[in-house]
């Protein structure tokens, strides 16, 4: 198909497709004449993946390229590919909340104890590590220690997620190739977060709708 | 304190503080002369909250303002305030992946069945709803049905989160006021997501470090 047809099927505007081609987010089409290229189903699929990572997961385009280069690489270990996906997810976060030093020290000790008690093998420069510590420190400095108390509950749940996600991608009935498993791991890592996030919001909304729809001060003791 | 001191303590540059003051993200200081204002601990705290929402949670400034206006309002129900927090979280996501119609229809049916079976009370225009449907549709269109199979596991976990988060903010030993409970709910909603996300990445990294650090094709059958 020509680029106009690729745009129609994928819903991605032609200028955006050309930008992705220039940035090597999308492999070139097959040249049918010096000025015309032909595209196939693989291009539709890749475009869908790019848009999902950019739009649904909020990953910056430069980080999407890192992730896709990793997937296309023959020399990177899967662990390194996952590292790229993790940097892509954390790239949208910055550390500039400046919690008080004492809160940061306490948060660091708490996270080290948690990682230790769970036997997690985590690199000291893991991008999620500093974000986790700063988030806990900020929560503490905003007098939300009771929220920090949920840390072990969250950690229990994510350990279970990891076990089941691993089983889901490695035990596919279609006997996936290593390349397909790598792609599944990356998609599951990045888009799985969107699933968890949106489900959590829906569950919260439901609880909130049952409890908290009355305006303030209308006679009940709970807010 | 003067604005320079507020900047030093909070780590937020003076021009940014002035921008927040203009945008009413930060209440005005107390005027000590026509050209000089004095700021207090409440300003430090509010600045820390703004930076955490913008930097750690990736919420756009306009949405942070909506959330803070909600918190400061005397007439909005807590449910409506939570709605603002939910829109803030989902604001960074866009829907432009254009999965095939059949995948969207299947995803819609799956999400409706899930909400039904759990008895969730969710508005048809809940911002997380369309994102969840599109994420599932994209996963399906990328042949990742095995990942979609994790939906019930994720839903079980987030229901547990909601129950415990609710208990954490409503049963504080310090007998919080309704305003403090509202603030806790909003912070817990938005920054809690950052906690869950970063813990999940650390758990994944640990599992990946144990299994997947070897380069491709070095003799094992698993990738």
């Amino acid at each position: 198909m020509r680029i106009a047809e690729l745009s129609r099927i994928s819903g991605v505007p032609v200028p955006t497709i050309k930008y992705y081609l220039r940035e090597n987010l999308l492999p070139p089409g097959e040249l049918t004449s010096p000025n015309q290229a032909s595209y196939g189903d693989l291009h539709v699929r890749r475009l869908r993946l790019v848009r999902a990572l950019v739009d649904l997961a909020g990953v910056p385009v430069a980080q999407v390229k890192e992730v896709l280069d990793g997937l296309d690489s023959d020399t990177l270990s899967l662990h390194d590919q996952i590292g790229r996906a993790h940097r892509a997810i954390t790239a949208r976060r910055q550390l500039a909340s400046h919690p008080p030093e004492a809160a940061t020290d306490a948060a660091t000790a708490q996270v080290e104890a948690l990682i230790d008690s769970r036997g997690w093998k985590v690199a000291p420069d893991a991008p999620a590590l500093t974000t986790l510590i700063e988030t806990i420190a900020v929560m503490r400095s905003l007098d939300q220690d009771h929220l920090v108390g949920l840390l072990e509950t969250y950690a229990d749940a994510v350990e279970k997620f990891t076990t089941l996600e691993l089983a889901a991608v490695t035990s596919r009935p279609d006997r996936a190739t290593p390349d397909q498993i790598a792609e599944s791991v990356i998609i599951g890592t990045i888009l799985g977060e969107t699933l968890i996030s949106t489900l959590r919001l829906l569950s919260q909304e439901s609880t909130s709708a049952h409890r908290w729809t009355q305006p303030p001060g209308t006679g009940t003791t709970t807010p």
Side-chain angles (χ1 to χ4, degrees), chain A residues 25-221:
Chain A
L25 288 166
L26 202 60
E30 194 187 337
L31 279 184
T32 51
S33 79
N35 290 316
Q36 199 141 65
S38 169
Y39 302 91
D41 288 344
L42 279 178
H43 291 91
V44 175
R45 193 172 190 286
R46 179 53 71 101
L47 268 181
R48 201 166 276 148
L49 178 56
V50 170
R51 296 308 293 182
L53 299 183
V54 171
D55 294 327
L56 291 176
V59 175
V61 168
Q63 304 291 330
V64 170
K65 181 165 161 45
E66 287 283 301
V67 169
L68 296 178
D69 285 351
L71 272 181
D72 295 338
S73 153
D74 289 331
T75 52
L76 271 191
S77 70
L78 184 49
H79 183 66
D80 290 332
Q81 294 184 41
I82 292 172
R84 291 183 175 211
H86 285 190
R87 281 196 297 279
I89 291 176
T90 47
R92 63 164 186 260
R93 302 202 183 97
Q94 287 161 11
L95 304 176
S97 311
H98 300 281
E101 218 167 291
T104 304
D105 291 346
T108 305
Q110 186 177 5
V111 169
E112 280 171 359
L114 179 129
I115 288 174
D116 216 46
S117 73
R118 292 180 183 264
W120 286 356
K121 187 175 171 186
V122 171
D125 62 347
L129 200 54
T130 42
T131 306
L132 175 60
I133 290 171
E134 181 158 324
T135 306
I136 293 172
V138 167
M139 280 183 163
R140 286 194 180 285
S141 72
L142 294 170
D143 311 311
Q144 307 295 329
D145 295 61
H146 50 283
L147 292 175
V148 178
L150 292 165
L151 209 60
E152 295 289 342
T153 300
Y154 292 146
D156 286 342
V158 300
E159 276 188 346
K160 191 175 170 200
F161 293 164
T162 302
T163 305
L164 292 172
E165 287 160 354
L166 183 69
V169 297
T170 56
S171 319
R172 287 168 56 172
D174 55 357
R175 294 179 171 278
T177 65
D179 275 0
Q180 288 172 325
I181 290 180
E183 195 188 59
S184 273
V185 169
I186 300 305
I187 294 175
T189 296
I190 300 181
L191 291 187
E193 181 169 314
T194 307
L195 285 190
I196 296 165
S197 165
T198 49
L199 284 169
R200 177 168 174 261
L201 297 187
L202 294 176
S203 166
Q204 282 186 354
E205 177 177 329
S206 175
T207 299
S208 162
H210 283 292
R211 282 184 69 110
W212 287 326
T213 43
Q214 72 277 32
T218 46
T220 57
T221 51

